[in-house]
Amino acid sequence: MTSTFHSIETARRSLFTQTAALNTTGHNIANANTEGYTRQRVNMKAASPIEAYGLTNSTVPGQLGTGVEFTSIERIREMFLDEQYRGENAAHGNWSIQSDTLDKLEAIVNEPSNTGIRTVLDNFWKSWSDLSKNPEDPTARKIVVQTAQSLTDAMNYMSTQLSNLDSDLNENVDTKAKEIQTYLNAITDLNRSITKIEGMGDHANDLRDQRDLLTDKLSKIVNITVLETDAGYNISLGTRALVQGAADPAAVDSAFLNDAYTSGDLRAGEAYGMIFSSRNYVVDYKNQLDAMAGTIANGSVEITLPAGSNLPEGTVLTNDAQIKQTDGTVVTLAAGQAMPKGAALYEDVKTVVRGLNGLHQLGYAMDGSSGRSFFTTSDGSSTINAGNIKLNEDIAADVSLFATSLRTVLDSSGNPQVIKGNNTLALLMSNLKDNKTFTTPDGSKTGTVGSYLSSMVGQLGIQSQEAARQADNADYLVEQVNSRRQSVSGVSLDEEMSNMLVFQHAYSAAARFMTTYDEMLDKLINSTGTVGR
């Protein structure tokens, strides 16, 4: 049966419900610019009518309503868009790191430019060409030494820069691992808090926003899969579990990430981009630079030795050669046989030497010595690379000790004496610039030294352009998905202002209804039975 004060309760419920709606609207407006905030909505429903079905229900027709009540305050969020965003965010993290690394590599290589290694290399070849005009000129010889030192310094510096970049990438992987661990710990704590709060029947909206924001940030570092369970988020990296509800999270360090990369579990995100860049781009270009340095110094190259050249005793040619011996006889020197003392080439002959060192060892210095390497290593290693190549210390100290001549004459005692003004070796050195038979020590490439550099620079340019394009595309996709997500979950101030007016008017109407009914009750209670008094 309807209570006399039934409508007072109806008005009270309306006031409480509209108050909750206004408070929630105010919360939305206050957090319009809060990162990761999801707009909230009060779910309202009509309260249960006063008459319930049963034997004791009244015979009054109809079921009288009891007003409104709110059942929950929930977030407006679409999980499908979250999954899309996190996937695109991981791709963006990867390509942005790759593009940044390639930009740094371009700065290190610095080609084309007037100060890059190509300019230094061209100056080196030119110094030999200038020296061939006057092999005895000490100034020209000093220029050869200086350009050679500039070349080795440039290679040493580039190698050091590449090593530093590789170290930076590896250190950043360790930094990202610590950042991941921080996120995992925080998400696990939030899982525990959310489970406790929602176990009492409430929605932990703001805590869920914090958890989703941390998950979004995590998705930029590594590719993750997120599964929501009763115990909270389960987050995995490929087949590796990172977070399992309220359980302690996985321990993540740089070794963990490198293992995940090797196994294929880590395939996107900033951490992937760092490891990929280190293992592919930086290592590849360091190897190419090492190969170029090794090729210049000791790579196989075919040259043509002109007739009349006097090679040091014991020299071994790779092709048969006609030689003129000291007694004037001409004989055939088979490939692999040692050159006799004082003999000269009777005709031009092609042979393969081991780079500039091999060619330089065929010639004679100003003091008549031969067999000296032009380039050596700074660390005593037998293998020359960009990091350890240097000019022979003896040559650096005395410019007369590098070879320019291939001609000798016999003295009265029958011993060969160098013709200091001969420029044959200097010409051969300068001609190496355009020699297309340079082969890397591992035999993988053949061409000019300049073509090796052009190939490396061209490859770097293409890779950098592609990575920049992919990074731009990934950035666009992230923004697009995020815009769609914000259209669902973001706070619209216009919409909230409209809602605020609706709830305000509803509250005012409910208050007016309560006042009206109070006046009716006053008439009933205080005025009934007073007629005629």
Side-chain angles (χ1 to χ4, degrees):
M1 188 172 188
T2 305
S3 168
T4 303
F5 299 96
H6 162 261
S7 292
I8 294 292
E9 177 63 19
T10 300
R12 184 192 67 82
R13 288 179 177 176
S14 179
L15 290 173
F16 284 0
T17 300
Q18 303 308 323
T19 298
L22 280 170
N23 288 338
T24 301
T25 300
H27 186 52
N28 287 340
I29 293 172
N31 287 281
N33 296 315
T34 301
E35 183 183 14
Y37 180 78
T38 304
R39 69 185 178 96
Q40 298 176 17
R41 178 179 63 193
V42 175
N43 292 323
M44 304 180 191
K45 74 169 186 176
S48 300
I50 199 167
E51 290 286 353
Y53 180 78
L55 294 175
T56 60
N57 68 318
S58 69
T59 58
V60 177
Q63 286 190 322
L64 187 61
T66 59
V68 67
E69 61 186 7
F70 66 96
T71 58
S72 64
I73 301 175
E74 65 176 8
R75 302 186 307 159
I76 309 300
R77 198 170 184 108
E78 191 173 333
M79 293 301 296
F80 172 72
L81 293 176
D82 286 340
E83 292 175 3
Q84 276 195 319
Y85 176 83
R86 289 160 187 163
E88 298 299 342
N89 205 27
H92 179 250
N94 167 35
W95 286 112
S96 62
I97 291 295
Q98 289 194 37
S99 179
D100 180 67
T101 301
L102 289 166
D103 285 344
K104 291 177 180 177
L105 285 171
E106 286 188 315
I108 292 172
V109 174
N110 195 27
E111 291 290 349
S113 72
N114 294 326
T115 57
I117 195 170
R118 183 183 295 278
T119 300
V120 176
L121 190 57
D122 287 343
N123 290 339
F124 175 69
W125 298 126
K126 184 177 181 299
S127 67
W128 278 104
S129 178
D130 293 340
L131 179 64
S132 67
K133 299 172 185 177
N134 186 3
E136 296 179 85
D137 182 9
T139 301
R141 298 181 76 86
K142 287 180 180 179
I143 292 174
V144 170
V145 168
Q146 290 171 354
T147 57
Q149 289 177 326
S150 296
L151 177 61
T152 57
D153 288 345
M155 289 187 172
N156 295 161
Y157 179 75
M158 284 181 64
S159 180
T160 299
Q161 291 295 97
L162 290 172
S163 296
N164 290 342
L165 178 57
D166 190 47
S167 297
D168 288 343
L169 287 170
N170 290 323
E171 288 175 3
N172 286 337
V173 171
D174 186 61
T175 300
K176 287 298 176 183
K178 294 177 181 177
E179 188 176 351
I180 290 171
Q181 191 66 64
T182 300
Y183 290 150
L184 297 183
N185 293 339
I187 291 171
T188 300
D189 290 340
L190 287 168
N191 276 344
R192 294 165 181 166
S193 298
I194 291 169
T195 301
K196 291 177 181 178
I197 292 173
E198 296 189 347
M200 297 184 291
D202 293 328
H203 291 296
N205 294 323
D206 294 327
L207 293 182
R208 281 179 169 269
D209 284 346
Q210 293 177 31
R211 185 175 65 181
D212 283 328
L213 178 60
L214 292 174
T215 305
D216 288 345
K217 291 182 177 180
L218 180 63
S219 70
K220 190 172 184 179
I221 304 176
V222 292
N223 55 284
I224 56 174
T225 302
V226 182
L227 177 65
E228 186 170 6
T229 67
D230 293 338
Y233 276 177
N234 287 349
I235 301 177
S236 58
L237 171 62
T239 60
R240 301 166 188 258
L242 299 179
V243 173
Q244 291 288 309
D248 290 338
V252 176
D253 55 15
S254 58
F256 178 94
L257 294 176
N258 277 280
D259 288 343
Y261 175 90
T262 302
S263 67
D265 288 324
L266 178 60
R267 57 185 181 277
E270 292 176 335
Y272 174 87
M274 291 171 185
I275 298 174
F276 180 89
S277 297
S278 174
R279 295 191 183 186
N280 291 273
Y281 297 142
V282 179
V283 170
D284 178 43
Y285 288 110
K286 194 171 189 305
N287 289 340
Q288 289 191 57
L289 188 63
D290 287 342
M292 188 172 75
T295 300
I296 292 173
N298 294 321
S300 298
V301 59
E302 185 180 70
I303 59 171
T304 299
L305 296 172
S309 297
N310 301 102
L311 304 180
E313 182 181 3
T315 299
V316 175
L317 303 177
T318 57
N319 292 315
D320 295 346
Q322 297 292 312
I323 63 171
K324 185 176 183 180
Q325 301 187 96
T326 54
D327 60 3
T329 59
V330 177
V331 298
T332 299
L333 182 71
Q337 288 186 331
M339 178 72 70
K341 179 180 179 180
L345 296 179
Y346 187 70
E347 60 184 9
D348 293 354
V349 61
K350 290 184 177 181
T351 188
V352 175
V353 296
R354 305 296 294 180
L356 271 72
N357 279 348
L359 178 56
H360 187 264
Q361 288 168 350
L362 298 181
Y364 302 94
M366 299 293 286
D367 62 357
S369 61
S370 63
R372 186 179 288 109
S373 293
F374 191 78
F375 293 113
T376 59
T377 61
S378 58
D379 56 6
S381 171
S382 60
T383 303
I384 291 179
N385 56 47
N388 64 17
I389 188 173
K390 74 168 187 176
L391 180 65
N392 189 307
E393 290 181 351
D394 294 336
I395 295 174
D398 186 352
V399 298
S400 69
L401 294 183
F402 70 83
T404 53
S405 175
L406 279 179
R407 297 296 297 274
T408 61
V409 293
L410 297 178
D411 59 13
S412 57
S413 302
N415 294 317
Q417 298 295 318
V418 65
I419 299 177
K420 297 179 180 180
N422 179 257
N423 67 349
T424 304
L425 186 64
L427 283 173
L428 289 174
M429 283 287 192
S430 65
N431 290 337
L432 288 179
K433 175 183 179 181
D434 300 316
N435 194 308
K436 298 180 180 180
T437 65
F438 265 107
T439 303
T440 54
D442 62 1
S444 61
K445 291 183 179 179
T446 299
T448 65
V449 173
S451 71
Y452 293 158
L453 182 59
S454 297
S455 174
M456 182 173 70
V457 173
Q459 177 187 345
L460 177 57
I462 292 172
Q463 288 176 334
S464 181
Q465 185 178 30
E466 175 63 13
R469 184 186 68 82
Q470 292 280 17
D472 288 341
N473 288 346
D475 182 62
Y476 171 76
L477 290 173
V478 168
E479 288 297 326
Q480 187 181 52
V481 174
N482 192 45
S483 294
R484 291 171 58 194
R485 188 166 68 159
Q486 287 300 314
S487 68
V488 175
S489 303
V491 175
S492 169
L493 291 178
D494 291 338
E495 181 180 356
E496 297 301 328
M497 291 297 290
S498 298
N499 289 340
M500 184 171 64
L501 291 174
V502 170
F503 299 141
Q504 179 187 10
H505 287 311
Y507 183 93
S508 298
R512 182 60 184 167
F513 169 68
M514 178 175 281
T515 300
T516 300
Y517 203 78
D518 178 64
E519 292 174 355
M520 291 172 59
L521 290 176
D522 178 67
K523 175 62 69 175
L524 175 65
I525 296 170
N526 297 318
S527 300
T528 300
T530 63
V531 178
R533 291 185 184 179

